[in-house]
Amino acid sequence: MASPLTRDDVAHVARLARLHCTDEELDRFTAQLGAVLDHAEDVASLDIDDVEPMVHPYPLVNVLRDDEPGVTSDRDEVLAAAPLSEDRQFRVPAILGEEA
Amino acid sequence: MTALALAAAVRSGARTATDVLEEHLAVIDRLDGEVAAFNLVTAELARAQAEAVDAAVARGEDPGPLAGVPVALKDNLCTRGIPTTCSSRILEGWRPPYDATVVTRLVAAGALVVGKTNLDEFARGASTENSAFGPTRNPHDPSRVPGGSSGGSAAAVAAGFVPIAVGSDTGGSIRQPAALCGVVGLKPTYGLVSRYGLVAFASSLDQIGPFATTVADAVACLEVMAGHDPLDSTSIPEASPALQGVLADGVDGLRVGVVSELLGEGVAPEVATRTRQAAEALAAAGATVEEVSVPATRLGLSAYYLIAPAEASSNLSRYDGVRFGLRVDAPTTGEMMERTRTEGFGEEVKRRIMLGTYALSAGYYDAYYGKAQRVRTLIARAFAETYADHDVLLSPTSPTTAFAFGAKTDDPMAMYLNDVCTIPTNLAGHAAVSVPYGVGDDGLPIGVQVLAPALGEAVMGRVAAALERSAPTTPPPTLGSRPADATTSGTDTSAEGVR
């Protein structure tokens, strides 16, 4: 069975989720998430590998429309909602260390 | 006045939509300072919609089944050009470039959109305390929560601000606040109502549904919203069930099971008593009622609190400061994303993101997320077996009446236990409705839940209507006698003011 949740685990998932946690938050989240995972032991401890997982209420099939141009969102309206755009594209700070 | 009565008056020309609207806006203006149900009141938008309804009536046209009915929308439903915040800082300033399908359908049916209601941030919570704009108060007692996450919509209907409101239900977020506020709240079958334009929380569980003061109003609103939508690939193609016509059919001969697992540990005695009274009333009306055991429902809470955070952590990865909403600047994109998310999300949202990321991470996927999905199969199978011998099931909606502010905010697990009776329905993709059934020893409303299999809304509606006919009275809230709380700013009905 999975090992008890550690402070390092919480710091790791915070990094994966791009969230910064203070030391105090790490302590609190470790205790609180540990309590939820303790409760989840009733599920995690079950021996049910022969049961099919259910990912969705219904069997999902791909739904595709005909490949014909239709009405889509207005590009300027979409870009207007962005924090920063330039030349009809989203603008972000430096990604690979180049000058922004 | 009910939504159906208002619509009948407007369609016949006895009242104008403008008159109905102004009456409701005046009540909101006077009393929402005490409740804080609204994040935003869209008075100008609603006035334009009311004029269009009145013009249609003047031309001799029928504006639709909800003609002139003021509706409030949970603020996670997209409204074109109108702020949609999910009660989160991270969507600050965002104006969606499109309307949710339910918004389009409600307006086409003659409804008037009067505002956007408060919620737990991104619909994560059971008390509406996790809102970046401050909590909504229960209209029956300002020291108590309205429930959540659709607390603003439930409170708006309970306070008489609107006859109908719309919410979303992922683990009980329509039914639990409906129970705590003493109104009807209906969670339809997964896929019956299009999710296009509903900001996603847990995509395999989310469903949009109505709040109302009567079962008839709730199903009238559902009939307008339901039906296939090509813009939602999980929208079911079958025709929606006809509901309004069957409500008076009674329950004679129906087989009702009272779920024993949902009446036991953790359920307040007064809530269990009301649920048993409801079962007796159905038996008196001709139904066959028996207690039934569905043991797998006991596993619902744990399965839900692995699956929902996992799906949420994935859905919330889109809030990165690039395409919409908040951006907190930093020298590199990586740092910008981290700062934006750290400052933009509240604590409960962060908790769920981390829980979900953990449940999905290498080494734990099979033990937690995978196992929870297998439990979901067990729950669906257990329901299928139970429904072979029963038309509907009965349980409490919430284990307790409305609790005090702050009572559970430091203990997430205690907060999560609020959803124990409502979660199994979402995991199975089924339908359920909460009907007010009197009050507890504290004078606060109690809700009884009717559960039905997928697309069982018609038989569920018949049982809900029978419960409504037999229900002990819930005294209306006494608003207007208290001074408005200075900490929750009032709403501005003269323009589109954001709280």
Side-chain angles (χ1 to χ4, degrees):
Chain A
M1 200 38 255
S3 55
L5 186 75
T6 67
R7 201 171 180 279
D8 286 346
D9 291 331
V10 176
H12 175 62
V13 292
R15 268 195 306 278
L16 292 177
R18 290 195 187 277
L19 293 169
H20 175 76
C21 291
T22 63
D23 285 347
E24 186 265 329
E25 281 172 333
L26 281 178
D27 290 338
R28 187 165 70 244
F29 287 145
T30 303
Q32 289 174 335
L33 299 183
V36 178
L37 291 173
D38 284 347
H39 189 279
E41 272 308 303
D42 62 353
V43 159
S45 63
L46 293 173
D47 182 11
I48 48 171
D49 287 351
D50 55 332
V51 177
E52 276 293 300
M54 175 174 167
V55 296
H56 203 268
Y58 306 119
L60 286 176
V61 288
N62 267 336
V63 179
L64 302 173
R65 66 166 171 81
D66 294 335
D67 189 16
E68 286 164 10
V71 180
T72 60
S73 295
D74 180 78
R75 177 171 7 197
D76 291 336
E77 204 175 343
V78 171
L79 284 168
L84 204 59
S85 67
E86 189 178 298
D87 297 334
R88 310 190 80 187
Q89 297 173 69
F90 298 114
R91 176 160 184 159
V92 294
I95 292 177
L96 297 172
E98 79 275 33
E99 288 300 306
Chain B
M1 217 174 174
T2 66
L4 286 170
L6 285 173
V10 170
R11 291 166 100 175
S12 72
R15 287 192 73 178
T16 67
T18 301
D19 173 46
V20 171
L21 172 66
E22 293 304 331
E23 187 181 275
H24 284 83
L25 287 176
V27 175
I28 295 169
D29 190 38
R30 191 161 57 87
L31 298 176
D32 195 41
E34 288 179 39
V35 180
F38 285 95
N39 285 348
L40 175 70
V41 174
T42 51
E44 289 316 310
L45 172 72
R47 285 185 177 118
Q49 290 164 344
E51 281 172 26
V53 167
D54 289 334
V57 174
R59 285 194 303 270
E61 296 164 14
D62 182 0
L66 296 178
V69 176
V71 299
L73 304 172
K74 187 177 184 178
D75 202 12
N76 61 353
L77 291 163
C78 288
T79 41
R80 187 171 188 174
I82 293 165
T84 298
T85 69
C86 294
S87 289
S88 179
R89 271 209 67 207
I90 211 157
L91 277 175
E92 209 167 72
W94 184 54
R95 290 171 189 260
Y98 55 88
D99 276 326
T101 295
V102 294
V103 176
T104 308
R105 290 188 180 180
L106 287 164
V107 172
L112 318 174
V113 175
V114 299
K116 310 292 292 284
T117 58
N118 199 15
L119 62 148
D120 284 298
E121 184 179 2
F122 284 106
R124 282 145 192 82
S127 68
T128 317
E129 289 170 291
N130 302 320
S131 163
F133 304 125
T136 294
R137 292 168 191 282
N138 192 312
H140 291 272
D141 180 345
S143 71
R144 306 291 179 114
V145 303
S149 67
S150 314
S153 284
V157 172
F161 298 161
V162 280
I164 284 177
V166 181
S168 63
D169 189 315
T170 305
S173 279
I174 290 173
R175 291 160 287 158
Q176 184 258 11
L180 269 46
C181 288
V183 299
V184 176
L186 194 159
K187 182 255 177 235
T189 300
Y190 184 87
L192 184 58
V193 176
S194 168
R195 293 182 296 113
Y196 179 75
L198 168 67
V199 177
F201 166 4
S203 306
S204 80
L205 304 163
D206 296 341
Q207 186 61 192
I208 297 170
F211 290 89
T213 56
T214 66
V215 174
D217 275 2
V219 302
C221 180
L222 175 58
E223 283 182 338
V224 166
M225 297 193 294
H228 182 68
D229 178 12
L231 296 174
D232 174 2
S233 64
T234 60
S235 159
I236 51 182
E238 287 91 347
S240 329
L243 300 171
Q244 286 190 68
V246 305
L247 296 183
D249 286 359
V251 297
D252 197 25
L254 291 184
R255 301 159 303 169
V256 179
V258 183
V259 185
S260 46
E261 283 77 11
L262 304 182
L263 262 181
E265 196 191 334
V267 175
E270 53 189 355
V271 174
T273 301
R274 288 297 189 194
T275 308
R276 292 188 199 285
Q277 282 176 1
E280 286 160 18
L282 292 177
T288 308
V289 181
E290 61 174 6
E291 200 156 299
V292 58
S293 174
V294 193
T297 55
R298 282 208 190 102
L299 300 169
L301 192 74
S302 289
Y304 177 87
Y305 278 100
L306 295 169
I307 291 169
E311 293 189 15
S313 72
S314 168
N315 273 325
L316 291 181
S317 63
R318 73 190 59 165
Y319 302 99
D320 56 10
V322 174
R323 289 155 299 161
F324 37 71
L326 180 73
R327 174 184 293 185
V328 181
D329 267 319
T332 68
T333 292
E335 291 166 89
M336 178 278 285
M337 288 177 173
E338 186 176 291
R339 285 193 198 172
T340 298
R341 290 167 63 81
T342 301
E343 291 186 29
F345 288 135
E347 182 155 323
E348 177 63 16
V349 169
K350 288 178 183 170
R351 246 189 316 263
R352 302 253 188 133
I353 289 174
M354 289 195 284
L355 184 58
T357 306
Y358 182 74
L360 289 172
S361 64
Y364 300 102
Y365 183 97
D366 289 337
Y368 289 116
Y369 185 63
K371 199 81 81 153
Q373 288 186 318
R374 293 174 205 277
V375 166
R376 204 172 169 182
T377 302
L378 295 181
I379 290 171
R381 274 188 205 163
F383 271 130
E385 284 166 19
T386 312
Y387 283 125
D389 303 318
H390 299 87
D391 296 295
V392 298
L393 300 175
L394 204 66
S395 83
T397 306
S398 169
T400 65
T401 57
F403 45 92
F405 287 103
K408 300 180 182 184
T409 40
D410 293 333
D411 184 355
M413 203 59 232
M415 188 70 90
Y416 297 172
L417 282 164
N418 277 290
D419 303 329
V420 70
C421 300
T422 46
I423 276 172
T425 291
N426 299 79
L427 290 172
H430 292 171
V433 59
S434 179
V435 180
Y437 216 79
V439 295
D441 302 335
D442 50 12
L444 292 169
I446 287 172
V448 170
Q449 180 180 224
V450 184
L451 301 87
L455 294 175
E457 274 84 357
V459 67
M460 181 178 91
R462 283 168 61 191
V463 175
L467 285 181
E468 185 174 54
R469 286 192 289 271
S470 74
T473 355
T474 304
T478 50
L479 293 167
S481 51
R482 298 186 290 265
D485 187 334
T487 61
T488 51
S489 63
T491 42
D492 177 6
T493 53
S494 63
E496 283 167 9
V498 183
R499 225 174 93 199

